[in-house]
C-alpha cells in the first residue's frame, strides 16, 4: 500500500496550521510578553494591552519592588490591638476576635508604640525599627531572603527610585478580610496614625499602598527594566 500521499497531506496540513497559528499569534498577541516584567497583578510592564484589563502600562517599562504592607505591617498593627493598651478598651469578645484565645499581647506601652510608629516615616531610622525584635518586623536581610513575600513587584517609569521621591501620603488601613479589620477601624483613634510616604501616581500608577519604598532598602537597575 502506498502511504506517501497520506503523509504528504498530513505534512502540508501541519505546515498550514503552523503558519495560521504564527500569524494569529502576531496579530492577537505580543512577543514582548515573553521578555517583559510583570507586576503583582500579572500585568506586563511597558505594554498597552493588559490581560487583566489594567490601564496601559506603556509608559511604565521598569519593574520596582515596593514594600508589602500586608506582610510587613499587619502583624504589628494586630499586635497593637493585642497590647495591654488595646486590652484595656476591647471587650472580651472583641479581644478574642482580634487576638485569639491565647496570650498574644505584645509587651509594648503607648510610648514605645508612638516612637516606633514615628520611625516609619523616617527612612534614616528604618534599621532601628526593623532591628528591634520586640516589634516583630522583618529586618532588611530577612526581607531579601523572602523577597516574594515581603515585596510587591510594580511597574514604574524610571529606575533609580529612592525615598526622597516618595511624596504621596498613605495612612495605614488593614485588608478588609482581616478578622480584626473592623476593630482597628473602630478603635484606631486610640493609637497614633501609621503613615508612609509612597511614590507619586505618575511614577507608580497604583494605589499608594502598593508604591511604598521599603524603609532602609535601596534598589538599583539590574537588567531589562528590572
Amino acid at each position: 500500500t502506498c502511504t506517501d500521499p497520506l503523509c504528504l497531506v498530513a505534512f502540508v496540513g501541519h505546515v498550514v496550521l503552523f503558519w495560521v497559528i504564527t500569524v494569529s499569534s502576531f496579530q492577537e498577541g505580543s512577543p514582548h510578553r515573553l521578555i517583559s516584567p510583570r507586576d503583582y497583578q500579572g500585568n506586563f510592564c511597558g505594554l498597552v494591552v493588559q490581560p487583566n484589563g489594567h490601564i496601559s502600562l506603556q509608559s511604565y517599562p521598569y519593574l520596582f519592588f515596593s514594600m508589602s504592607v500586608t506582610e510587613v505591617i499587619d502583624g504589628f498593627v494586630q499586635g497593637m490591638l493585642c497590647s495591654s493598651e488595646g486590652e484595656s478598651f476591647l471587650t472580651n469578645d472583641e479581644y478574642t476576635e482580634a487576638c485569639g484565645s491565647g496570650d498574644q499581647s505584645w509587651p509594648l506601652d503607648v510610648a514605645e508604640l508612638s516612637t516606633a510608629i514615628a520611625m516609619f516615616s523616617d527612612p534614616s531610622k528604618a534599621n532601628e525599627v526593623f532591628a528591634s525584635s520586640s516589634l516583630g518586623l522583618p529586618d532588611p536581610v530577612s526581607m531579601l531572603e523572602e523577597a516574594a513575600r515581603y515585596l510587591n513587584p510594580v511597574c514604574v517609569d524610571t529606575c533609580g527610585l529612592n525615598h526622597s521621591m516618595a511624596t504621596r501620603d498613605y495612612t495605614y488601613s488593614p485588608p478588609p478580610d482581616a478578622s480584626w479589620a473592623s476593630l482597628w477601624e473602630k478603635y484606631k483613634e486610640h493609637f497614633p496614625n501609621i503613615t508612609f510616604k509612597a511614590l507619586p501616581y505618575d511614577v507608580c500608577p497604583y494605589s499608594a499602598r502598593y508604591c511604598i519604598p521599603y524603609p532602609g532598602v535601596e534598589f538599583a537597575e539590574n537588567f531589562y527594566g528590572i
Side-chain angles (χ1 to χ4, degrees):
T1 302
C2 180
T3 58
D4 288 348
L6 295 178
C7 291
L8 180 61
V9 171
F11 177 75
V12 172
H14 165 267
V15 172
V16 172
L17 181 61
F18 171 80
W19 281 106
V20 169
I21 293 175
T22 300
V23 172
S24 175
S25 297
F26 275 92
Q27 290 178 339
E28 304 294 334
S30 171
H32 292 289
R33 290 188 177 186
L34 298 175
I35 56 176
S36 296
R38 305 182 73 172
D39 68 9
Y40 70 95
Q41 296 176 318
N43 298 305
F44 294 89
C45 301
L47 299 186
V48 176
V49 180
Q50 301 296 339
N52 296 329
H54 194 276
I55 62 171
S56 169
L57 294 173
Q58 185 176 23
S59 299
Y60 305 92
Y62 298 97
L63 190 68
F64 178 75
F65 293 92
S66 62
M67 182 179 70
S68 173
V69 174
T70 296
E71 288 293 340
V72 177
I73 305 300
D74 281 2
F76 175 55
V77 175
Q78 184 180 16
M80 293 173 65
L81 281 173
C82 298
S83 67
S84 56
E85 287 74 25
E87 193 173 9
S88 66
F89 50 77
L90 290 172
T91 66
N92 290 336
D93 288 342
E94 288 175 335
Y95 189 83
T96 300
E97 178 183 349
C99 312
S101 56
D103 181 13
Q104 301 183 33
S105 297
W106 286 9
L108 297 176
D109 58 27
V110 174
E112 289 175 312
L113 290 170
S114 299
T115 300
I117 292 170
M119 288 182 179
F120 283 131
S121 60
D122 186 351
S124 66
K125 297 181 179 179
N127 288 334
E128 298 178 37
V129 177
F130 293 105
S132 175
S133 59
S134 64
L135 296 179
L137 297 171
D139 60 77
V141 174
S142 300
M143 178 275 296
L144 291 174
E145 291 176 347
E146 299 185 75
R149 175 182 176 185
Y150 294 119
L151 300 177
N152 293 315
V154 293
C155 301
V156 294
D157 69 341
T158 184
C159 279
L161 300 174
N162 54 56
H163 293 279
S164 65
M165 301 177 66
T167 57
R168 191 168 24 154
D169 292 321
Y170 170 71
T171 300
Y172 174 84
S173 61
D177 58 347
S179 61
W180 44 272
S182 60
L183 295 176
W184 172 257
E185 295 299 330
K186 180 178 179 180
Y187 294 112
K188 62 183 179 182
E189 69 274 4
H190 291 270
F191 302 102
N193 284 335
I194 302 178
T195 60
F196 297 92
K197 286 293 185 180
L199 297 171
Y201 188 85
D202 60 346
V203 172
C204 181
Y206 306 86
S207 168
R209 180 184 182 91
Y210 299 100
C211 296
I212 301 169
Y214 199 103
V217 177
E218 300 290 343
F219 292 95
E221 183 176 359
N222 189 355
F223 62 92
Y224 199 80
I226 298 178

